[in-house]
Structures are given as C-alpha cells and as structure tokens.
Amino acid sequence: MSHKPYQGAAGGWAALASTAKHLVKSENVAKNLRNLLNTNQDHGFDCPGCAWGEKGHKATFRFCENGAKAVNWEASSKRVGASFFAQHSVQWLAKQSDYFLEYQGRLAEPVVFAPGSDHYQAISWDDAFTLIAEHLHQLVSPDQAEFYTSGRASNEAAFLYQLFVRRYGTNNFPDCSNMCHEASGHALTASIGIGKGTVTIEDFELADAIFLFGQNPGTNHPRMLETLAHATQRGAKVVAFNNLKERGLERFANPQKPVEMLGGAASPTTSHYFTPKLGGDMAAVRGIVKILLERHQQALRHGDSVFNQAFIEQHSQGIEAYLIEVEQSSWQHIEQQSGLSQAQLESVADIYQQSERVIIAWAMGITQHKHSVATINEITNLQLLFGQIGKEGAGVCPVRGHSNVQGDRTMGINEKPNAAFLKSIEDVFGFAPPSKPGHNVVQAIEAMLKGQSKVFIGLGGNLVAAAPDTGLSEQALANCELTVSIATKLNRTHVTPGKYSLILPCLGRTDVDMQAAGPQKVTVEDSFSMVHASAGLVDESADDMRSEPAIITGIANAVLGASPIDWLACVQDYDKIRDYIEQTIPGFEHFNQRIQQPGGFYLGNSARRREWNTATAKAQFISHPLPDDVLPAEVRALSEDRVLVLQTLRSHDQYNTTIYGFEDRYRGIYNERKVLLINPKDIQALGFKEGALVDIETLWPDTVERKVSGFKLIAYDIPQGNAAAYFPEANPLVPLASKGDFSDTPTSKSVAIVLSASNQSSIDTRSA
C-alpha cells in the first residue's frame, strides 16, 4: 500500500529505526557511529543538513533523524571514479533516477567529459584547472560566466570563491538562496535594515508565543521539534499556519529522552494549528492586524492603547499609510484568500495580544510565492506594531535550510553586493571589484539559454534538480561551452553536461581536511548568526579528493596567478583565510581566537540592538495591498477546467534534492514519489478516485508545454483547491518566468495546474 496514514508521534522509535537503517545502508557502520557522536559537538563537525542552532548545554547526541541520514549518506564507503564512468555512458546515466545517481557513492577522482565521447574520463587536477582557465580566458567578458554556490559551502570556501570571482571581474553569483530565502533577505532589509533573523536559540526559551508560518520542521529541520515541545511544556503558545497537516507540528517523542521513549509519551509541539490556503498567509496576518487595529482604536477612545506607541514613535516610520491599507482590506477578501474565518483569526489575535514576547518564524511555505516579499513585510509590520523586535524572547526568524546558506551571504555570495562590502574588498585587497549587479539563478538560466553565458561553475549543489522548469534548465547547461561541478556525490547536473564538463570531487563535512599546516577546520553560520568551527573525522586520503578551499584556490591560481593574494599559500593554513575575513567583514574581530570558544560566537544583529540600517535610520512599516488572487488573472483565464494551486515539497526521506529513500513516514506515504496530495472533495469533483493516475499540466501564458505523467492521487488533509507534489519530480511544472516580486524566487508554492486521466503506468522511481 502506498498510503497509510501515520498514527504515531514524530520522532520516537520510528526515528531510531530509520537512523539505524540508514547507518547500515552507508556500508560504513563503525565510522559513522563515531561520526554521529561528533555531529554538532564542540571540536566535531557541523551537520551537513539544516541550519538550526544548538543550545549551549552539553548533550551526548546532537543530531536528528534527518541529520543522521545526511551524515550516513556522505560518509559512504562506495566510490565513483573513472572505472565507473568507463562502464556507464552519460546518455545511460541521464535515464537513471536521482536516487540511483547519488546512491552510487562518493566521487573519488576528477573526471572530464569532452566532445567526441559519451563517457567521463580521468583527468589530473592540474589539467582540470588549466582547462577551466582556458575557457574563462576565452570569454569576451567575465559576465559570460556563472558562478553558482550551494549553502553547504563553508565560510572559508565562500569567501575565497567570491574574492576570486570578483577579481576575475563579475558579480554573477546565482546562489541556492535565490530559490529559497531571497524574499526574506529583501523584505527584512527593507523593513529593519538587515536581511537576517533577529532571534537567538535562547529566545525560544523566553517567548510567550511562537508563531510558525509555512514550515514543516519534522522533515526539514527536526531539531526544532525539541525546541517547540519544550516551549509548549513550559506553557508557551505555539501557533502553526501550515497548508498541510504535518505530524511534526502536532506531537513529538524525543528519541534522546529515555524516559519519554520508554513510557511511550509524546509532547505536543503546537497548541493551535491552522491550514490556510496556499499563498493565504499574508491575508491571515492582515486579518490579525485588522482585529488588533480595531481593538487599538477602541482603547484609544478610553485613553489606552493596544499597540506599543512608544516603540512606534521612537523607532519607526510609515505606520499611517500601512494602517490605511489595513482598514481598506475587506473581511470578504481576507477570508476568501486565507481560507480562514474571522472567528479563527480572532482567536489568534487573542493569543498575540496576550503575549508579552512573540517570535514569528517562517520557511519556504512563505518565500516561494509571487507576493512573498509583501507577506514578510506584513509579518514584520505586525511585530513592529508591538515592539517585538529588539527585546529578548521576541523577534523575527526566517528558518534557513542549508547549513551555511546564511554564512555564504555574510561572506559576500551576493549578486547585488552593497557598496560598503565592495569598498572593504578594495581597501583590503587593492583592486576595485565590479559594482554592476550580476545574475541570480533565474537570470543565469535565462542567460545560458540565450547563449549569452558560456561557462557554469557550481560550488556544490545540484542546479538541474533544484531549479524550476527542468527542461529549460537542462537545455541551459547543455548550451554551455564548459560546466564544472565541485561535488561529493554524482547528481542530475553531472549528467546534463555542457560541451566540456568537469566533475571535481571535494571533501565533505565528515572528512579530515589535511593541508600543509595539518588538519584544518572550517566555519559555518547557523540561522541564529552563531559562527562555529567544524572539523571532520574520516580519512579520505586514499582517494583523489580535495577540499573546497583547495579546489577554489587551484582554479584561482590557474586563472589569475598570485593576484590579489597568493592563493596556494593561503590554503596551506585556513587561519590565513580567516585573517582575510576578519580584515574584510565586520563582526569577525579575533576570528581565529573566538572559534575556539565552545559553541562559537554570536555575530550580533543590528535590528536586535534597535539600530535600523535603513535610509531613514528607522524601522519601516511597508504597506502592500493584498493580491487580488494568488494566481495571476491571465493564468486563471487559460482554462475553463477546475484549476488547482500546487506546491512542491520534500518527502521525509529527502534533504533538498538528495533522496535518501522512499518513505514519507509522517505523511503515511511509502515506496512512492510520483504522488499528488489533494483534498478528497477535489478528487470527487474532478471525477477521479483515490489512487488514480493523472497527468499534471501547468497553466502559463507561453508556448512551452509543462507536463508530468503518471502521478497517483493521494487523499490528504489539505484545503480544497490546493495540491502538493515532491520535487524534483514536480519541478518541470514550475515556470522559469513565474517568480516573486522583488526577489525573483521561483514560485514553487503557487503553480497553477490542471489534471487529466493518465494512460501511463506508475513508474518505480528507484531505478531506470
């Protein structure tokens, strides 16, 4: 059976069983047991999974089920080298599943794909660097190259990468954050002057209420569940707004608490759970504000107030225009778009008003819509009305995915760098970096499609599987003269090569990084602006892998020589890289000394200090009208059939594009990935039965057909008119041109689709 609703709590014995299964599956049991005991520990390595932070107290286990999967997956004993590629052509590999590709093991030596052959072949590191240099030197302009970055890159690697690329002469930094939290950075920078969350992990211990929007911690950052369970136990209200019912947001059995496990107990993770329509979160927050505004106006008539008037007057601007916008928003519009009633939102407003300290956290359920920036501005406006930014136990918290996606931005991985950062680069390194904005992910794919960009270099990640509009993304890479992937595992991008293609195998978080000065550590920044060190334990010296910093400096030296630094010398001891970071980026004073502290150090946050780095030196109330519809009118008009709004999401056996297995345990789905979660009433209205196979087609005003076939209908607790499917299988449905206002983030949570009966049999996605 592919669907059997899960009755247990998140975590618990099932999580331990899953961890054990993946430990055995790694074929490296003894080493990985040691790895797990050192995950997220002082003098250990940072989990290669999510960016959730650690509390300061000691703990024997600091990993979750999905973190254990990530560790076991990376520290596999299986190897992929030239002999593997001699047996398997690129054409054959391209027909295999994403699971098959990554399950083959760790990449063990550099390989090259060249015209005239359909196989990757061995190449020396020096020859690989020379090939890259030749292609980059042949370009008419540095802007014809794209330099992609994954959020798993360390601070040291990211800093070297951006320095090399800017010295080469471009700001083309398409980055994984362009596809996830770009809206958070843009909205928060406009509202409070910094694109990061204002809370620390300790604030969750003090909050009276925690509001969660558009996130599924049970799958995407399970260590958050312990934080939420503890908050409810001490009496805090935890209010979830999530489009689907998710077991992790209902109750949790902590596998690291023996008493809880043996007693079969489970702690609630939320006190209230609401399922708004996709894209309806902005309307829900607008409704909460509308209720609180009416109460505030009534209080003013009696010489009192509901809002924090002192904070508003001292620290903000723009409230008048915003409150007019709130008053003009009708309840009919709010209820229709949010899918929640005024009475439901009244109950939420009660909780908010009665709470002295409130944290609002969100993830990609908020950030991947056309109006995502407006939604985050709306959330921030609510917090500003009550002075909830800049005090302990309160604030805004975008929950990041990749373990160092926030650190990469701090290090300068940004296609739109600010003037202060560029001036610092010039002062420290003696050259004027380019100031013209570069390409984000969507713009980079468009440039490669048009033949304007001819070289693609990826520092980690899997662009083809992560990007929208899969067919166009594949064509974009195939158009390139050279594609380069720095990676630990074989993936979809590697079997979509340019005319020339290089795969350069790098060390992972679990691996010992041995350089001339001895074993090295790297650093990462979590969602709470904590910077801490990471050092692997597994000796991979028998293979021909190199660290990310060593690969970047090898490329930079081949392209630039010893300019603006001696690249090869600095990689011998990463303390030298951190010295450069300290000189360039505020907040990293005494960098090498401070990472010796248990738990690392806090970078600080200007908005938390109530220092507003905006043009007016005030926090800004930014007003937007509610969208007329989550879908553009011209899209709705393309079909007279019943139109559904689709979101793409992860399964529980998945982290980003990496698929570990075929169980989505908490949603009760087993041995299937080509599924469509849909409300039972929609199944009936469309004339289908649960379990039927359907073809899914996107509505978009262009001539490109976006269609996937043979998806099984699963009846699920999701609002009518909404649907959900896993990525990357559903990524072909996301139009490249459908992107967020201000952010250019693909709208992977609001895709207009229609269904039709499928003639295709269900395909086992585990094999070819």
Side-chain angles (χ1 to χ4, degrees), residues 50 132 246 290 345 349 395 431 551 568 627 650 658 673-674 691:
C50 77
I132 296 169
E246 306 281 11
K290 191 173 181 71
L345 295 176
F431 73 95
I551 295 171
L568 301 184
R650 300 168 177 163
T658 299
R673 284 193 58 84
K674 292 182 65 173

Side-chain angles (χ1 to χ4, degrees), residues 549-560:
I551 295 171
I552 294 163
T553 54
I555 296 172
N557 184 70
V559 175
L560 302 172

Side-chain angles (χ1 to χ4, degrees), residues 249-286:
L249 285 172
E250 295 176 312
R251 60 186 190 273
F252 171 61
N254 192 339
Q256 300 183 27
K257 290 187 175 180
V259 173
E260 195 166 288
M261 292 290 288
L262 292 173
S267 301
T269 50
T270 52
S271 52
H272 299 74
Y273 200 130
F274 300 94
T275 52
K277 292 180 180 178
L278 280 170
D281 301 274
M282 180 182 177
V285 179
R286 178 65 55 87

Side-chain angles (χ1 to χ4, degrees), residues 151-181:
R152 280 180 56 174
S154 66
N155 288 329
E156 291 74 13
F159 183 81
L160 290 171
Y161 197 50
Q162 67 80 29
L163 181 63
F164 154 58
V165 173
R166 291 198 163 97
R167 184 63 185 88
Y168 173 65
T170 185
N171 282 316
N172 283 354
F173 283 110
D175 176 51
C176 67
S177 64
N178 297 147
M179 295 184 282
C180 54
H181 270 289

Side-chain angles (χ1 to χ4, degrees), residues 283-297 307 322-332 334 342 346 349 378 382 385:
V285 179
R286 178 65 55 87
I288 296 167
V289 175
K290 191 173 181 71
I291 293 163
L292 294 170
L293 173 58
E294 292 170 357
R295 295 176 183 178
H296 177 69
Q297 290 170 335
F307 299 158
Y322 172 63
L323 294 183
I324 290 172
E325 191 69 58
V326 172
E327 289 183 317
Q328 292 176 346
S329 300
S330 72
W331 272 112
Q332 180 182 2
I334 290 169
Q342 183 174 348
E346 289 268 6
E378 190 76 15
L382 171 58
L385 286 171

Side-chain angles (χ1 to χ4, degrees), residues 25 73 78 80 84 92-105 461-467 470 474 489-496 651 653-662 673-674 708 711 726-732 763-768:
K25 194 175 179 180
W73 194 252
K78 300 171 71 175
V80 174
F84 171 88
W92 184 86
L93 288 169
K95 297 176 183 178
Q96 309 312 305
S97 70
D98 295 86
Y99 174 80
F100 173 89
L101 294 176
E102 293 214 23
Y103 188 62
Q104 301 314 300
N462 181 1
L463 180 68
V464 168
T470 307
E474 289 176 336
K489 290 284 196 79
L490 187 65
N491 65 45
R492 180 64 50 195
T493 299
H494 305 152
V495 297
T496 313
S651 76
D653 257 358
Q654 177 179 356
Y655 192 76
N656 291 337
T657 59
T658 299
I659 298 164
Y660 303 123
F662 295 85
R673 284 193 58 84
K674 292 182 65 173
V708 295
F711 277 62
Y726 301 134
F727 70 84
E729 288 84 354
N731 282 0
I763 294 176
D764 186 342
T765 57
R766 286 169 288 186
S767 59

Side-chain angles (χ1 to χ4, degrees), residues 16-157:
L16 290 179
S18 176
T19 299
K21 181 182 75 173
H22 284 273
L23 182 63
V24 173
K25 194 175 179 180
S26 73
E27 301 181 15
N28 212 0
V29 175
K31 288 183 178 179
N32 275 344
L33 280 172
R34 182 184 174 212
N35 281 338
L36 290 174
L37 291 173
N38 283 276
T39 303
N40 297 319
Q41 300 284 357
D42 294 328
H43 309 296
F45 61 87
D46 192 77
C47 178
C50 77
W52 192 252
E54 297 295 334
K55 288 188 281 189
H57 64 74
K58 292 185 178 181
T60 303
F61 305 106
R62 282 184 166 175
F63 61 87
C64 64
E65 175 189 350
N66 280 8
K69 291 175 186 176
V71 169
N72 290 325
W73 194 252
E74 179 174 283
S76 169
S77 63
K78 300 171 71 175
R79 292 292 180 265
V80 174
S83 60
F84 171 88
F85 289 110
Q87 297 174 40
H88 304 297
S89 70
V90 171
Q91 185 177 7
W92 184 86
L93 288 169
K95 297 176 183 178
Q96 309 312 305
S97 70
D98 295 86
Y99 174 80
F100 173 89
L101 294 176
E102 293 214 23
Y103 188 62
Q104 301 314 300
R106 288 288 298 275
L107 296 164
E109 59 182 314
V111 291
V112 62
F113 175 88
S117 174
D118 193 31
H119 292 259
Y120 279 98
Q121 299 175 342
I123 187 174
S124 71
W125 281 102
D126 286 345
D127 287 347
F129 297 151
T130 298
L131 182 64
I132 296 169
E134 289 173 351
H135 277 82
L136 290 178
H137 287 151
Q138 288 170 4
L139 298 179
V140 173
S141 164
D143 292 331
Q144 292 183 318
E146 305 292 345
F147 297 89
Y148 180 73
T149 317
S150 160
R152 280 180 56 174
S154 66
N155 288 329
E156 291 74 13

